[in-house]
Amino acid sequence: MPSSSTPRLTAIRTISSRITPALHAPSNGAAVKNGVGTVPASQYFGINTFGARQMHDKLSTDVYAKLVASIRLGKKLDLEIAPTVAQVIKEWAVSRGVTHFCHWFQPQTGLTAEKHDTFLAFDEQKQPMEQFTGDQLIQSEPDASSFPSGGLRATWEARGYTAWNPASPVFIMESPGASTLCIPSAFIGYHGEALDELTPLLRSSEVLSQRSIELLDLIGDKGALRVFTTLGPEQEYFLIDRGHFALRPDLVMGGRTLIGAAPPRGQQLEDHYFGGIPERVLACIAEVERELYKLGVPIMTRHNEVAPCQFEMAPVFEETDIAVDHNQLVMTMLRKVALRHGLQAVLHEKPFAGINGSGKHCNWSMAIVADNDLDGANLLKPGKTPHQNIRFLLFLAAVLKAVHKHAGLIRAGIATSGNEHRLGANEAPPAIISVFMGDTLTRVIDDIAAGKTGKQGAAQAMIQLGVAKLPDIAKDNTDRNRTSPFAFTGAKFEFRAVGSSQSIAFPTMLLNATVAEAIGEITAALRKELKTTVSKDDAALKVVRDVFKETTNVRFEGNNYSEEWVAEAKRRGLPNVRSAPEALRQLVAKGSRQLFSSLGILSKEELDSRYHVRLERYAKDMLIEMHTMAEMIDTMVLPGGYAYLGMLADASAKAKTAGITVVPQVAAANDVGRLVAALRKYATALHVAVGKAESLHHDAEKQAGFLTSSGADAMATVRSASDALELAIGDEYWPLPRYREMLFPV
């Protein structure tokens, strides 16, 4: 008989004894008392950030104007103002108890990175002082040679440089006993090559702005200084007890459960979605929000998601590069604060089989910076005049053109090992990229494409189509299809297929790039049309009509989860790219290379590096999972099965010795023995598959191809056998926290 004090049973007793949530007052707790909020969030929002607004009263008018020009208009920072800006940043940081600073950047790991340097320096008399120079603010050399570069640089050419992105405010990251000034930065190589996720995003934003301004000028909308994209990422995640997490090697090593039988109850009762947030979880989420508010992250909503122990938080829209930084802070704070509450934030796309996984819906749009009435105009929002709606339709057409032409490339942006388990499941957008527009817009687009506006002018056509009513109609006629991977949801598109653990920088960069190309193509077509058409609006409507006809196949209003859609998409010629390695090949396809080189966003070498980094990451993720699964089966699951078999055999022998003629333990032992034998057989095959995969390390494409097919099949077979054994042996013999315990804690 196994001990009643096994780690699993001890964890269950500990967890069940917790009655009330622990209260944790964050450092610098002016906003809380004994862990409970005491003042409105508006009074402490952004207290740990120092951006242009906070610098207004600290800088001279001239210096401040130059800084704002860099931030608002995307101009290159005037290096002459750097020492002055650095001085006011240092004074603010030191006054807040900060002792170190770092350039906070986003390498191609999907995470963030930082190397801390102290403000402490010594003057000519060797006396200690705090020092922070303009050079230290603008640039750093963190080495960082071990980050993935996809062949962009060798270790002996290790020098990499971080460069401050002034558009994103510096911030203080508080930890027990330490406060660090973080300077959001890009990360580039010695020759200027992009080594991070942010640099290509910034390049794509610049190109999109240039192309958009050209189109706006052409249709008569003068005065635009910059066009920027906005982003609002909705973050889904699981919160489970840390005690359970620590006992699951698969969760610790790879972020998802590799084995685990489904519990009798999952999400079929639909009782968790939007239900009351458990008290302990709410205490954790509330603290996460407080920490994020202090960092200027505008979290607006929190709620239970569909799966048990699954939750979501979402911010208000922000400029894209700031939204990218803030989403990284959201993921960081979720992981960090959860530990204080004895919880673990799980951000993997599919941590538990049989219930919904987690995504990150990225709400994307475009807006104008101008010194006239165009300022702040959302380019994807219908207007009140015929011309404003022509403008709306032009940019709407550009997005449709981009997704239609580059559906495979956009799919590559969400290709990870984690998302591979989620995409196409009956819970998430499929691997087929299509666009949902809603009934009203679909009717308008179809009528324009069919030429139903006749030969009348654009103004009359807009009135006939009822486009002037779209701002009100769109509120009720969009976002009706939750199965679409890319849906128009009223003044924005919602890219729903992004994975929950991903950096949103890369998929957003791809979207920016493809839309920028489409805008350029529409601008060229409009210039050609204006040679024969006098009215700019009339010419624009003709161009829009051609694009709407061209992109018909990518628009779909039905159920994206259905098998009928798979067949229909194939008929339409839309790519259905199921595996991550197959999707990643779209990055280096001829059309992709041409796109990035023509726009100057990624060189051939930079694009190749991203392909190789992501392919290598996929293989590493899979191999870690395979090794972990093999270890769990060999050292935990099979020993549990052997122990249970031993108990049955011992009980059978004692029963026979006692003269009992009916000994059911014999049949039970035979049944369990067959399950154990099958699991051993499949585990042996898994070891063989691991060896085969390791032998292909010299060829990343072959290795990834093997892992996504034979490797994944071997893991699925082992899981099936292990899950069957889990349901057959005595509860006290099973060594791992079960699904019912992790997802339904008492």
Side-chain angles (χ1 to χ4, degrees):
M1 191 76 175
S3 169
S4 61
S5 297
T6 63
R8 170 174 160 254
L9 297 177
T10 299
I12 292 172
R13 283 194 295 271
T14 301
I15 292 164
S16 62
S17 68
R18 292 176 178 144
I19 300 174
T20 57
L23 299 177
H24 296 271
S27 54
N28 190 16
V32 295
K33 182 178 181 181
N34 296 325
V36 180
T38 59
V39 297
S42 60
Q43 293 187 25
Y44 63 92
F45 184 84
I47 62 170
N48 281 349
T49 63
F50 201 65
R53 181 171 60 85
Q54 292 85 356
M55 294 185 198
H56 182 270
D57 296 332
K58 305 289 185 180
L59 297 172
S60 67
T61 302
D62 180 56
V63 171
Y64 182 75
K66 291 179 179 179
L67 178 65
V68 169
S70 175
I71 295 171
R72 187 167 184 258
L73 305 179
K75 292 184 177 180
K76 188 174 181 180
L77 183 70
D78 186 342
L79 297 182
E80 290 183 359
I81 71 171
T84 304
V85 175
Q87 179 66 20
V88 298
I89 290 176
K90 184 204 74 175
E91 291 175 356
W92 169 76
V94 171
S95 72
R96 303 293 301 250
V98 174
T99 59
H100 288 68
F101 67 92
C102 71
H103 276 211
W104 183 83
F105 60 100
Q106 301 176 37
Q108 294 184 68
T109 59
L111 303 173
T112 60
E114 54 199 63
K115 185 187 80 169
H116 298 188
D117 289 300
T118 181
F119 284 128
L120 180 65
F122 297 89
D123 62 19
E124 294 178 354
Q125 285 73 43
K126 306 298 182 181
Q127 295 301 305
M129 57 181 286
E130 273 70 44
Q131 178 176 287
F132 185 53
T133 67
D135 289 342
Q136 288 173 312
L137 170 65
I138 295 295
Q139 181 176 301
S140 177
E141 184 182 347
D143 181 0
S145 58
S146 294
F147 284 120
S149 69
L152 273 181
R153 60 179 186 157
T155 302
W156 50 272
E157 296 174 323
R159 278 189 294 180
Y161 298 90
T162 49
W164 176 37
N165 173 27
S168 193
V170 300
F171 59 90
I172 297 172
M173 183 62 75
E174 295 175 331
S175 297
S179 291
T180 306
L181 175 71
C182 297
I183 305 165
S185 304
F187 180 43
I188 58 176
Y190 181 70
H191 300 290
E193 59 272 21
L195 300 173
D196 63 345
E197 301 283 34
L198 182 63
T199 301
L201 176 65
L202 295 177
R203 292 174 182 170
S204 72
S205 297
E206 180 64 23
V207 173
L208 181 69
S209 178
Q210 293 170 357
R211 295 291 176 94
S212 298
I213 290 173
E214 289 176 12
L215 180 55
L216 289 168
D217 284 344
L218 192 58
I219 62 174
D221 287 339
K222 307 291 185 179
L225 302 174
R226 186 167 72 97
V227 170
F228 63 95
T229 60
T230 59
L231 201 60
E234 304 167 18
Q235 180 70 58
E236 295 177 340
Y237 57 96
F238 283 81
L239 284 173
I240 65 172
D241 195 276
R242 175 70 183 178
H244 284 150
F245 177 86
L247 292 175
R248 295 282 316 208
D250 45 5
L251 282 172
V252 173
M253 291 291 103
R256 76 178 182 105
T257 53
L258 301 175
I259 55 178
R265 172 184 162 198
Q267 62 189 49
Q268 65 267 43
L269 296 181
E270 300 173 333
D271 55 342
H272 191 259
Y273 189 54
F274 276 27
I277 302 175
E279 189 178 47
R280 182 180 172 205
V281 169
L282 183 57
C284 173
I285 296 175
E287 185 177 345
V288 171
E289 289 174 342
R290 287 194 294 270
E291 294 290 352
L292 290 173
Y293 289 154
K294 289 157 66 178
L295 290 168
V297 182
I299 295 297
M300 304 299 287
T301 64
R302 63 184 181 213
H303 63 84
N304 287 6
E305 256 299 337
V306 174
C309 285
Q310 186 186 33
F311 307 92
E312 178 182 300
M313 61 171 55
V316 73
F317 286 56
E318 301 179 278
E319 190 162 345
T320 292
D321 54 338
I322 297 177
V324 168
D325 287 354
H326 282 174
N327 184 249
Q328 289 287 357
L329 290 176
V330 166
M331 293 190 288
T332 297
M333 280 301 170
L334 279 169
R335 295 185 179 105
K336 185 177 179 179
V337 173
L339 297 178
R340 300 176 189 167
H341 294 261
L343 296 169
Q344 182 74 39
V346 180
L347 297 174
H348 193 283
E349 286 73 19
K350 190 73 171 178
F352 302 99
I355 61 173
N356 278 17
S358 298
K360 184 144 47 189
H361 299 180
C362 290
N363 297 277
W364 179 92
S365 192
M366 295 181 282
I368 300 174
V369 174
D371 286 333
N372 54 30
D373 58 3
L374 284 175
D375 191 53
N378 185 335
L379 292 172
L380 292 178
K381 181 179 181 179
K384 296 181 179 179
T385 68
H387 174 74
Q388 289 172 349
N389 285 317
I390 286 291
R391 183 178 68 207
F392 160 69
L393 292 174
L394 275 170
F395 283 92
L396 182 70
V399 178
L400 289 173
K401 188 179 182 69
V403 178
H404 179 260
K405 182 176 180 180
H406 293 291
L409 180 59
I410 292 172
R411 167 68 179 91
I414 53 173
T416 66
S417 63
N419 226 13
E420 193 170 56
H421 299 288
R422 171 178 165 264
L423 294 179
N426 217 24
E427 65 182 77
I432 304 167
I433 301 296
S434 65
V435 182
F436 169 80
M437 297 302 304
D439 293 341
T440 303
L441 269 177
T442 294
R443 176 183 58 78
V444 170
I445 291 170
D446 286 343
D447 285 351
I448 292 175
K452 291 186 179 180
T453 55
K455 295 183 179 180
Q456 59 187 302
Q460 292 76 22
M462 292 299 98
I463 295 171
Q464 176 188 321
L465 292 168
V467 179
K469 299 179 181 179
L470 281 180
D472 297 323
I473 295 174
K475 295 177 183 178
D476 299 317
N477 286 273
T478 58
D479 201 25
R480 294 292 179 86
N481 189 339
R482 302 300 294 175
T483 71
S484 176
F486 197 81
F488 185 77
T489 56
K492 59 186 172 61
F493 279 93
E494 186 174 348
F495 191 11
R496 296 184 177 130
V498 180
S500 54
S501 67
Q502 278 190 264
S503 163
I504 55 179
F506 188 66
T508 305
M509 180 275 289
L510 296 180
L511 185 57
N512 286 356
T514 55
V515 172
E517 181 193 58
I519 291 172
E521 292 174 351
I522 285 175
T523 301
L526 182 55
R527 283 201 178 98
K528 182 178 180 181
E529 185 62 43
L530 284 171
K531 293 179 179 179
T532 56
T533 304
V534 176
S535 167
K536 293 180 178 179
D537 284 356
D538 290 351
L541 186 58
K542 291 179 181 179
V543 171
V544 165
R545 179 183 300 121
D546 291 340
V547 174
F548 285 166
K549 288 170 63 177
E550 169 195 337
T551 60
T552 297
N553 285 345
V554 83
R555 291 187 287 110
F556 180 64
E557 304 298 301
N559 181 6
N560 293 69
Y561 294 167
S562 68
E563 289 300 319
E564 291 78 10
W565 169 233
V566 175
E568 171 65 13
K570 183 177 181 181
R571 186 191 67 77
R572 295 186 182 194
L574 300 180
N576 182 10
V577 187
R578 295 301 302 270
S579 77
E582 182 185 1
L584 290 172
R585 282 198 291 274
Q586 299 292 320
L587 290 175
V588 290
K590 182 179 179 181
S592 301
R593 292 189 184 281
Q594 183 176 353
L595 167 74
F596 288 112
S597 63
S598 64
L599 297 179
I601 295 173
L602 289 171
S603 67
K604 178 183 181 301
E605 293 75 20
E606 289 172 328
L607 184 58
D608 286 343
S609 80
R610 275 138 186 86
Y611 170 62
H612 289 298
V613 165
R614 282 159 175 76
L615 195 66
E616 185 181 71
R617 175 60 183 264
Y618 176 85
K620 288 178 177 178
D621 286 346
M622 286 287 291
L623 282 168
I624 288 170
E625 288 188 355
M626 292 175 75
H627 279 291
T628 302
M629 173 180 266
E631 181 180 299
M632 290 174 69
I633 297 300
D634 291 345
T635 65
M636 303 178 80
V637 177
L638 283 175
Y642 297 148
Y644 187 60
L645 275 174
M647 182 275 292
L648 290 174
D650 185 57
S652 300
K654 289 179 179 178
K656 290 179 180 179
T657 300
I660 298 174
T661 56
V662 179
V663 185
Q665 292 95 328
V666 174
N670 285 330
D671 290 340
V672 173
R674 281 188 284 270
L675 292 174
V676 170
L679 180 55
R680 284 195 60 189
K681 173 185 174 183
Y682 299 137
T684 299
L686 177 62
H687 281 287
V688 172
V690 169
K692 174 66 174 177
E694 295 282 14
S695 72
L696 296 172
H697 66 90
H698 60 282
D699 190 326
E701 291 186 347
K702 283 186 178 180
Q703 186 182 51
F706 175 83
L707 288 167
T708 198
S709 55
S710 300
D713 291 345
M715 291 180 69
T717 304
V718 169
R719 174 166 198 152
S720 180
S722 177
D723 292 355
L725 180 62
E726 179 182 348
L727 295 175
I729 70 174
D731 185 69
E732 66 271 27
Y733 288 85
W734 188 252
L736 300 164
R738 297 179 184 269
Y739 269 33
R740 71 166 188 263
E741 296 157 358
M742 292 184 287
L743 297 173
F744 299 95
V746 293

